[in-house]
Amino acid sequence: MGSVETSNKDTNGSLLNKNPTIVFVLGGPGSGKGTQCANVVEHFGYTHLSAGDLLRAEIKSGSENGTMIQNMIKEGKIVPSEVTIKLLQRAIQESGNDKFLIDGFPRNEENRAAFEKVTGIEPTFVLYFDCPEEEMERRLLSRNQGREDDNIETIRKRFKVFLESSLPVINYYDAKGKVRKIDAARPVEEVFESVKAVFGPKTEKAN
């Protein structure tokens, strides 16, 4: 593993000099993460980084890295943590901001451990949108009108994956007192009031 270490030294250094505020945003499919991330960006001046969007953008760019990612996804393989982390690092360095919402990552314990090892950074806290499965299901089905039958199974599979993979990450950070749990079953405005309370005084300086 030595080679991975050395290849990360440079990117590592500049990341650490920046000492960014990192907030991991986790929640099941349909928990309203995207909407709330947009609100935080607008009110508190964070940069929103979605691991999935970064991977898609890399594929679109047609780079060698993008082709490799695309082939892995086609073959149903999981993109290695290091690949996603490098994309996140690059986005952090190029953004010029020092406050980031990282959405949909880490997806599992391996992602989490790799992120901390590669970047040397722990998140300031984890924003966890807690929403009952029935509510997330209802939201997703109303979003996909007319395609309910072929989707309900896929949706339930996604919930199962979320529970099995992401809950250990949430429990890990919870034990360190870093999880800010938001009841995401309420209307968007009410949920954002709770989110604002989490980001409130300390980060109000954004505007």
Side-chain angles (χ1 to χ4, degrees), residues 85-99:
I85 292 163
K86 284 230 171 81
L87 292 175
L88 286 165
Q89 271 185 309
R90 191 170 75 196
I92 287 170
Q93 282 156 352
E94 288 171 358
S95 87
N97 198 352
D98 62 352
K99 299 186 299 189

Side-chain angles (χ1 to χ4, degrees), residues 34-156:
T35 305
Q36 298 302 335
C37 280
N39 285 338
V40 172
V41 167
E42 195 183 326
H43 283 77
F44 297 105
Y46 275 68
T47 294
H48 176 209
L49 299 176
S50 151
D53 287 352
L54 288 172
L55 289 167
R56 283 186 285 276
E58 189 67 17
I59 290 170
K60 233 185 189 160
S61 77
S63 71
E64 211 174 302
N65 202 22
T67 309
M68 183 262 296
I69 294 167
Q70 188 171 27
N71 291 338
M72 292 195 79
I73 292 171
K74 262 193 200 141
E75 288 164 24
K77 291 180 184 160
I78 288 172
V79 178
S81 297
E82 273 77 8
V83 172
T84 309
I85 292 163
K86 284 230 171 81
L87 292 175
L88 286 165
Q89 271 185 309
R90 191 170 75 196
I92 287 170
Q93 282 156 352
E94 288 171 358
S95 87
N97 198 352
D98 62 352
K99 299 186 299 189
F100 300 91
L101 299 173
I102 295 184
D103 171 10
F105 186 92
R107 280 185 185 275
N108 53 40
E109 266 291 283
E110 193 267 331
N111 278 175
R112 178 200 65 70
F115 182 85
E116 290 185 10
K117 181 168 177 264
V118 171
T119 64
I121 294 173
E122 269 199 30
T124 308
F125 60 88
V126 175
L127 195 59
Y128 170 40
F129 290 101
D130 186 29
C131 195
E133 189 168 326
E134 302 72 45
E135 175 59 20
M136 292 195 279
E137 206 168 278
R138 192 188 64 71
R139 289 176 185 179
L140 290 170
L141 289 176
S142 63
R143 249 196 295 198
N144 304 338
Q145 278 139 351
R147 293 181 19 226
E148 290 172 27
D149 298 324
D150 58 36
N151 264 340
I152 191 86
E153 273 182 38
T154 321
I155 287 169
R156 287 189 176 149

Side-chain angles (χ1 to χ4, degrees), residues 144-170:
N144 304 338
Q145 278 139 351
R147 293 181 19 226
E148 290 172 27
D149 298 324
D150 58 36
N151 264 340
I152 191 86
E153 273 182 38
T154 321
I155 287 169
R156 287 189 176 149
K157 239 181 237 163
R158 284 166 67 199
F159 289 146
K160 194 166 176 286
V161 168
F162 172 73
L163 289 173
E164 288 169 359
S165 309
S166 299
L167 278 182
V169 176
I170 291 159

Side-chain angles (χ1 to χ4, degrees), residues 26-33 36 128-139 181-195:
L26 296 173
S31 60
K33 289 193 319 263
Q36 298 302 335
Y128 170 40
F129 290 101
D130 186 29
C131 195
E133 189 168 326
E134 302 72 45
E135 175 59 20
M136 292 195 279
E137 206 168 278
R138 192 188 64 71
R139 289 176 185 179
K181 188 169 167 181
I182 304 284
D183 170 7
R186 299 165 300 158
V188 171
E189 296 74 21
E190 282 180 40
V191 173
F192 189 52
E193 284 308 310
S194 302
V195 171

